[in-house]
Amino acid sequence: MTAPLLDIRDLHLGVALGRSAHHPLLKGVTFQIMPGEAYGLVGESGSGKSVTSLAVMGLLKKPLAVSGGEILFKGQSLLALPKRQMRRLRGNRIAMIFQEPMTALNPLSTVGRQIAEMFVLHQGKSWGEAQKLAVEALRNVRVPHPDRRAKNYPHQMSGGLRQRVMIAMALACNPDLLIADEPTTALDVTVQAEVLRLIKELCAERGTAVLFISHDLGVIASICQRVGVMYAGCLVEENETRALFDTPRHDYTRGLLGALPRLGSRSQHGRQRLIDIDSIIADRSKLTETRFIAPRGAEGSKP
Amino acid sequence: MLRFTLRRILQIIPTVVVVALLIFVIFSVVPGTFAASLFADGKRAADPQMIARLNEEFGLNKPLMERFVTYVTDLAQFDLGTSFRTRQPVIDLIHDRMWASLKLAIAAMVFALVIGVPLGFLAAMRPGSVLDTVTMIGAVSGLSMPQFWLGLLMMYLFALQLNWLPSFGYGNGSFQNLILPAITLGVTPLALLARTTRAGVLDVLNADFIRTAHSKGMSEIKVVRWHVARNALVLIVTTVGLQFGSLIGQAVVIEKLFAWPGIGSLLVDSVAIRDIPVVQGTILVIVLWFLVINTAVDLIYAAIDPRIKQE
């Protein structure tokens, strides 16, 4: 068995409130991603998916802080890594695509220049060379007329094109791990499918592992080999994608699947009514008390 | 870009025309005349014959419409009229004073820019730090301090007590004479610039594309140089433009205080004796100054932000 590319062990993370108080957001999340594997994280808003990805990138902002656990990338602890070395990994070995293609690009800079920055930063290229490589990067994500498009500003592009620019930028240095945080949520359905296919194909070609975050099970099903389901800061279930859809073990996963009008798995064709997920969460509140409140109390007393 | 520039410059013309008409209307309805104020020494009534003679000489007894036509036709030939008091062409009077005013305004603005923008930038990079707190307290004090009072304090300290700098006058354009009035005039724009720069930079730092920049593995310095600076510049340029325009107005007080031979003191003196052609001409020049600055700001915007050219 090969060593995992990303190994997150018992990750605790929260909002620091003053000196000793601490509001937990992640309560012991553990999962591994193998090299070249596409791993999906699903869960509702606020379940801790995005925060997990920001912790891996080392981009948590001030009141947010990791309070326990380990993040190992190729066996190296990212949490213990000095800032300068972390910067060398970021963008180069671990890259990220964000949810909002409209605001994630600098409006005053051409997209070519923004992609070129990657080559200047991580490969020590000159601006002239980097610009040429940027055009190639745009060609790789199948942007038509890449040489002309490289001179465009973000506002001159559609949402789908901008997301392709983001993908070109993230994959510029052939990273080992791509974190995609809801990359298709802001796009309309047809564009969504194209962008998904692009991510899937490019990563398969280059052997890039993907951590794909979404609240959309359909999207996850189309791209990931394994899925983790997050709920209230915990990873409640993890399985092969097909197995998860066929035999969800956890109540919450069952709720999520039942709430979907359209499923990626054949065995559920005979479904009748959609399940209202609110009632499931209400039912689960008793379970929550026994399973989630206890560690939260213990967490709160930690410095 | 060329078409955009030309259009913005041509837009100045109609504005100037409207402003010129407004100025004429306003000064033909204000009470008091030059002749009356010239002879009114408070002891006895002015001689009606003298008043009539002066009114005759300056054409003030002609009907309003006729004076209006003269005013407009003269203006079209860049003739701002003749001063009642000195009988010199107004344009010459203004020309003599304008360079002193420009020099003062530019010096004040450079002072404000060189200190205000870096302070605001640094304060935004480390919000809540000692530098940030001190800068913001300083900025609020600078904004709330009356300029003439500050000017008097500066005079007292640097001219009277320390004897480092001359207390007033133009001194044939020497740099030393410029320092005190320029600093006094520059304090308000400095404080404003520090505050808006800080607010603008903080705004940009919270933008999504800054998170993207960090995710690319950039150092903080590169993030600032490549992505923050240009975006923050938009707000800074706005503030500089607005302040630059109103500096001429604010300069009236400072010019009086430091006996600076600028356009502001010319305006105040001319208002006092109802030298209407000079007042009209001066105001028109100040308005033109505003318009030129505004146009310049718009053009700089377009150069910074590619989204503006597209409208």
Side-chain angles (χ1 to χ4, degrees):
Chain A
M1 191 176 152
T2 50
L5 179 71
L6 184 73
D7 189 354
I8 296 181
R9 289 181 191 164
D10 194 29
L11 185 66
H12 288 261
L13 181 158
V15 184
L17 306 162
R19 205 159 298 164
S20 54
H22 182 264
H23 178 72
L25 294 177
L26 290 188
K27 299 149 210 163
V29 170
T30 302
F31 65 91
Q32 282 93 34
I33 301 180
M34 294 299 150
E37 181 189 35
Y39 186 92
L41 268 186
V42 266
E44 58 196 18
S45 307
S47 58
K49 301 164 296 183
S50 292
V51 158
T52 307
S53 68
L54 288 176
V56 175
M57 288 296 280
L59 288 177
L60 289 175
K61 271 201 183 165
K62 253 249 162 109
L64 291 176
V66 172
S67 53
E70 270 293 2
I71 302 175
L72 300 174
F73 179 73
K74 293 183 180 172
Q76 190 178 31
S77 168
L78 293 184
L79 297 174
L81 213 58
K83 264 190 183 174
R84 180 185 289 260
Q85 274 168 293
M86 188 62 212
R87 276 207 301 270
R88 227 171 277 158
L89 279 182
R90 208 187 285 149
N92 192 10
R93 304 310 345 135
I94 312 175
M96 187 156 178
I97 308 173
F98 295 95
Q99 183 176 352
E100 316 81 1
M102 297 307 180
T103 51
L105 290 167
N106 185 347
L108 304 189
S109 190
T110 61
V111 295
R113 145 104 202 187
Q114 291 185 59
I115 299 170
E117 280 171 4
M118 297 296 279
F119 300 110
V120 173
L121 279 170
H122 296 296
Q123 298 176 4
K125 296 271 195 282
S126 72
W127 281 109
E129 275 177 274
Q131 290 283 2
K132 276 177 215 147
L133 289 170
V135 173
E136 283 315 302
L138 280 178
R139 199 189 308 278
N140 289 339
V141 293
R142 281 155 229 166
V143 169
H145 311 294
D147 41 346
R148 241 189 299 151
R149 280 301 189 180
K151 296 188 190 94
N152 275 178
Y153 290 93
H155 73 276
Q156 294 165 317
M157 295 183 145
S158 65
L161 267 181
R162 278 186 241 192
Q163 203 56 294
R164 278 167 198 260
V165 170
M166 283 300 293
I167 295 168
M169 208 155 75
L171 294 180
C173 297
N174 276 323
D176 300 312
L177 176 65
L178 175 71
I179 301 176
D181 186 1
E182 311 241 8
T184 56
T185 310
L187 306 174
D188 62 62
V189 183
T190 41
V191 181
Q192 193 172 334
E194 284 170 35
V195 169
L196 279 178
R197 188 149 26 96
L198 189 69
I199 294 178
K200 197 175 171 181
E201 285 174 15
L202 287 177
C203 290
E205 248 168 56
R206 298 158 189 234
T208 307
V210 187
L211 171 56
F212 199 99
I213 295 166
S214 183
H215 60 259
D216 188 336
L217 275 168
V219 167
I220 293 270
S222 72
I223 203 166
C224 300
Q225 285 112 49
R226 279 196 308 143
V227 191
V229 180
M230 284 195 77
Y231 180 73
C234 293
L235 196 71
V236 290
E237 181 170 1
E238 184 187 64
N239 210 334
E240 305 283 319
T241 309
R242 179 56 62 81
L244 185 98
F245 276 81
D246 288 349
T247 51
R249 278 185 297 238
H250 202 280
D251 289 349
Y252 180 68
T253 315
R254 235 170 273 151
L256 266 182
L257 290 172
L260 270 183
R262 180 166 50 90
L263 292 177
S265 138
R266 255 170 266 145
S267 62
Q268 302 256 335
H269 263 320
R271 72 194 187 279
Q272 293 124 13
R273 312 191 99 216
L274 298 181
I275 298 173
D276 180 2
I277 202 150
D278 273 338
S279 63
I280 298 162
I281 292 175
D283 279 347
R284 281 173 42 80
S285 65
K286 288 174 205 111
L287 210 145
T288 303
E289 264 171 12
T290 53
R291 229 201 113 183
F292 296 125
I293 294 293
R296 184 185 287 173
E299 199 59 37
S301 59
K302 269 191 189 169
Chain B
M1 188 67 195
L2 189 70
R3 271 184 58 192
F4 180 78
T5 311
L6 272 176
R7 208 176 66 214
R8 295 297 300 148
I9 291 174
L10 286 179
Q11 276 171 357
I12 293 183
I13 297 170
T15 321
V16 171
V17 171
V18 171
V19 168
L21 299 187
L22 263 178
I23 291 174
F24 182 84
V25 171
I26 289 169
F27 284 103
S28 33
V29 297
V30 287
T33 63
F34 172 67
S37 68
L38 192 64
F39 295 116
D41 53 5
K43 288 182 194 129
R44 61 203 151 82
D47 183 351
Q49 268 188 324
M50 293 284 278
I51 292 182
R53 235 181 64 200
L54 271 170
N55 280 344
E56 178 86 32
E57 187 189 335
F58 296 125
L60 291 174
N61 49 1
K62 287 185 191 146
L64 189 68
M65 275 319 287
E66 209 181 312
R67 282 189 329 206
F68 180 67
V69 170
T70 324
Y71 171 72
V72 172
T73 42
D74 284 355
L75 202 61
Q77 301 162 49
F78 299 102
D79 181 358
L80 295 175
T82 314
S83 161
F84 290 165
R85 184 176 48 164
T86 65
R87 320 228 166 177
Q88 280 173 283
V90 172
I91 208 143
D92 290 351
L93 280 175
I94 291 175
H95 182 265
D96 289 344
R97 301 290 195 104
M98 208 169 72
W99 303 116
S101 269
L102 266 180
K103 204 165 120 179
L104 182 60
I106 291 172
M109 210 61 222
V110 168
F111 167 71
L113 268 173
V114 166
I115 298 181
V117 171
L119 272 182
F121 226 108
L122 291 175
M125 296 305 294
R126 298 277 178 274
S129 67
V130 178
L131 177 86
D132 182 28
T133 316
V134 171
T135 305
M136 286 308 110
I137 291 174
V140 172
S141 326
L143 277 179
S144 32
M145 212 170 345
Q147 287 190 333
F148 68 91
W149 178 74
L150 177 71
L152 285 175
L153 278 187
M154 302 257 285
M155 269 185 190
Y156 177 75
L157 183 65
F158 293 105
L160 225 61
Q161 293 295 318
L162 298 168
N163 213 5
W164 286 352
L165 296 164
S167 56
F168 66 87
Y170 191 52
N172 278 325
S174 86
F175 181 66
Q176 287 192 326
N177 283 67
L178 184 62
I179 297 174
L180 284 188
I183 290 180
T184 312
L185 188 60
V187 163
T188 308
L190 188 155
L192 261 173
L193 267 176
R195 284 183 67 91
T196 43
T197 304
R198 178 180 182 270
V201 171
L202 274 180
D203 229 34
V204 177
L205 284 175
N206 282 324
D208 282 339
F209 63 83
I210 294 302
R211 190 181 54 185
T212 308
H214 281 295
S215 82
K216 289 166 156 183
M218 252 176 246
S219 63
E220 205 180 9
I221 296 167
K222 287 221 170 86
V223 171
V224 169
R225 265 186 28 213
W226 290 358
H227 293 282
V228 180
R230 226 172 131 89
N231 279 282
L233 210 57
V234 176
L235 197 61
I236 296 172
V237 169
T238 318
T239 316
V240 170
L242 283 175
Q243 284 299 301
F244 222 145
S246 59
L247 268 189
I248 290 278
Q250 292 169 23
V252 172
V253 177
I254 304 298
E255 285 179 6
K256 266 307 207 194
L257 185 67
F258 286 95
W260 189 263
I263 219 169
S265 44
L266 178 69
L267 179 63
V268 174
D269 294 345
S270 306
V271 167
I273 59 159
R274 303 263 190 276
D275 195 344
I276 303 298
V278 181
V279 176
Q280 284 177 340
T282 318
I283 292 179
L284 201 61
V285 167
I286 292 177
V287 168
L288 201 63
W289 165 256
F290 253 103
L291 289 173
V292 168
I293 299 270
N294 272 343
T295 308
V297 166
D298 280 355
L299 294 181
I300 294 173
Y301 271 161
I304 298 175
D305 193 334
R307 286 169 296 186
I308 289 173
K309 267 175 279 174
Q310 286 227 322
E311 31 115 44

